[in-house]
Amino acid sequence: MATALQLLLNGVALGAAYALVALGFVLVLNATSAVNFAQGDLVMAGGLLAVALAPLIPLPGIVLLPVVLVLMAGLGLLLAAAAYLPLRRRPPVSVFISTIAVGIILQNGASVLFGPEPRVAPPLFGDGLWRIGGVAVAEQSVAIVAVAALLIGVQQWVFGRTQLGRRLRATAQDPEMARACGVPVTAMILITFAIGTACAGAAGLLLANRYFVTPTAGGDLILKAYIAVTVGGWGSVPGAVAGALLIALFEVGVSSVLSYPVALGALYATLLVILVVRPQGLFGEAVRRRA
């Protein structure tokens, strides 16, 4: 029983971090109709940024988090200005290739600055164990869930309750109509990239303590985000969060019984089944084909 609860908490903690990755991914997708394949490498960049800041600010990770969010948001603005805005009138494949190029630049830059070995960031509050009902749970896992839930909640509040959020949603739904109504569409796209990249950076900080971070970690993370969005339903923010939690629980559960490679293989096989049986995902709307 205790082991099952620990596995559940580990799965939810991993899923909460994945949810931040998928959330940033789907926000940019909704606003631009472009897939940002640098999202996984932005997670890696956020984790290594926390590693670099730790000696300068020798405090718990929760203190580093606002700094990482601000710096990664700035990186998101640069990403949008360099890899999306000059190409937004071009075919979608142009943005696809440009974001892949950005990811490669981030990987190689991280390899030069930090080397290939795994790095660890400081814990959010502590790295001890808590006793809850006689069950020992990792303090970091609980903190990951709490911080990720807070960040997702704040993002949902901004999008659902503020004037900025209404403008961001209008840009995502119909950029031309939003522009005709006086919404500064380009500024909203820049802000969306900043928010999406900040989410990636936060996920990097959360993951870099329990799961370490390497310059090549982004490839696996973008695949997990892509799967989460596909499972949850393309364009659905709740679906992205739910999909992230489901794949993390699946990954942790199967890994505990069999092995991590088997869990990955089973995850991709399950994805294929979902694509065949319900291609719109769990929360996506069915798409009708024209005759």
Side-chain angles (χ1 to χ4, degrees), residues 71-285:
L71 293 177
M72 291 300 295
L75 180 59
L77 294 176
L78 291 175
L79 171 64
Y84 174 72
L85 292 180
L87 303 171
R88 60 177 167 173
R89 306 295 182 193
R90 306 285 180 87
V93 69
S94 301
V95 178
F96 173 86
I97 293 172
S98 71
T99 57
I100 291 177
V102 169
I104 293 172
I105 291 170
L106 290 173
Q107 285 183 29
N108 285 278
S111 295
V112 170
L113 293 174
F114 294 92
E117 64 275 3
R119 298 297 188 101
V120 60
L124 284 168
F125 295 104
D127 53 5
L129 296 175
W130 286 345
R131 292 281 176 181
I132 301 177
V135 179
V137 298
E139 185 177 346
Q140 177 71 4
S141 294
V142 177
I144 287 174
V145 175
V147 170
L150 176 63
L151 291 174
I152 293 171
V154 169
Q155 183 273 327
Q156 290 293 87
W157 176 81
V158 169
F159 272 73
R161 300 285 185 175
T162 67
Q163 181 65 24
L164 173 62
R166 285 188 282 273
R167 291 183 174 186
L168 290 168
R169 284 187 285 115
T171 299
Q173 291 170 4
D174 192 332
E176 297 305 321
M177 182 61 70
R179 184 178 286 107
C181 294
V183 175
V185 170
T186 299
M188 294 302 102
I189 290 174
L190 287 169
I191 291 172
T192 301
F193 267 93
I195 294 173
T197 305
C199 287
L205 185 149
L206 298 182
L207 291 169
N209 176 261
R210 289 296 302 277
Y211 303 99
F212 306 103
V213 59
T214 64
T216 58
D220 184 57
L221 290 167
I222 188 58
L223 285 175
K224 298 294 175 57
Y226 199 91
I227 293 171
V229 173
T230 303
V231 169
W234 281 89
S236 170
V237 171
V241 175
L245 289 171
L246 285 174
I247 65 173
L249 289 170
F250 183 91
E251 183 181 326
V252 170
V254 176
S255 296
S256 66
V257 176
L258 299 172
S259 66
Y260 183 70
V262 172
L264 282 183
L267 178 62
Y268 295 134
T270 303
L271 173 63
L272 291 175
V273 172
I274 291 173
L275 288 173
V276 172
V277 175
R278 189 176 172 81
Q280 71 270 26
L282 299 177
F283 293 85
E285 298 180 356

Side-chain angles (χ1 to χ4, degrees), residues 35-99:
V35 176
N36 176 19
F37 273 97
Q39 185 75 0
D41 294 298
L42 292 171
V43 178
M44 173 273 297
L48 288 178
L49 178 59
V51 171
L53 288 173
L56 304 176
I57 310 175
L59 294 170
I62 194 65
V63 180
L64 298 178
L65 180 61
V67 181
V68 170
L69 289 174
V70 171
L71 293 177
M72 291 300 295
L75 180 59
L77 294 176
L78 291 175
L79 171 64
Y84 174 72
L85 292 180
L87 303 171
R88 60 177 167 173
R89 306 295 182 193
R90 306 285 180 87
V93 69
S94 301
V95 178
F96 173 86
I97 293 172
S98 71
T99 57

